[in-house]
Amino acid sequence: MLFAVDTESELPIVADVTLSHVNDGDIEPTLMSKAAEASNTNIKFVMMDAGYESVKE
């Protein structure tokens, strides 16, 4: 399960459930698009764990 969280309110903006074989880096663009749309604000900073750094080729 992946979450995008508002650091000010500490509440989730969006959540996404994926299968175990789905790489976090592959889903990151979709998650960020959903977060930007749902938050209705300008996203200034993004922090992610190392799983988002690599995209399968």
Side-chain angles (χ1 to χ4, degrees), residues 1 30 40 57:
M1 184 170 256
T30 304
N40 216 13
E57 294 182 20

Side-chain angles (χ1 to χ4, degrees), residues 9-45:
S9 68
E10 298 181 2
L11 297 173
I13 299 170
V14 294
D16 205 347
V17 178
T18 60
L19 299 173
S20 61
H21 70 277
V22 175
N23 183 296
D24 290 346
D26 294 339
I27 197 69
E28 179 270 330
T30 304
L31 186 68
M32 290 297 95
S33 294
K34 288 180 181 180
E37 187 178 314
S39 68
N40 216 13
T41 62
N42 238 352
I43 296 176
K44 296 178 184 177
F45 300 99

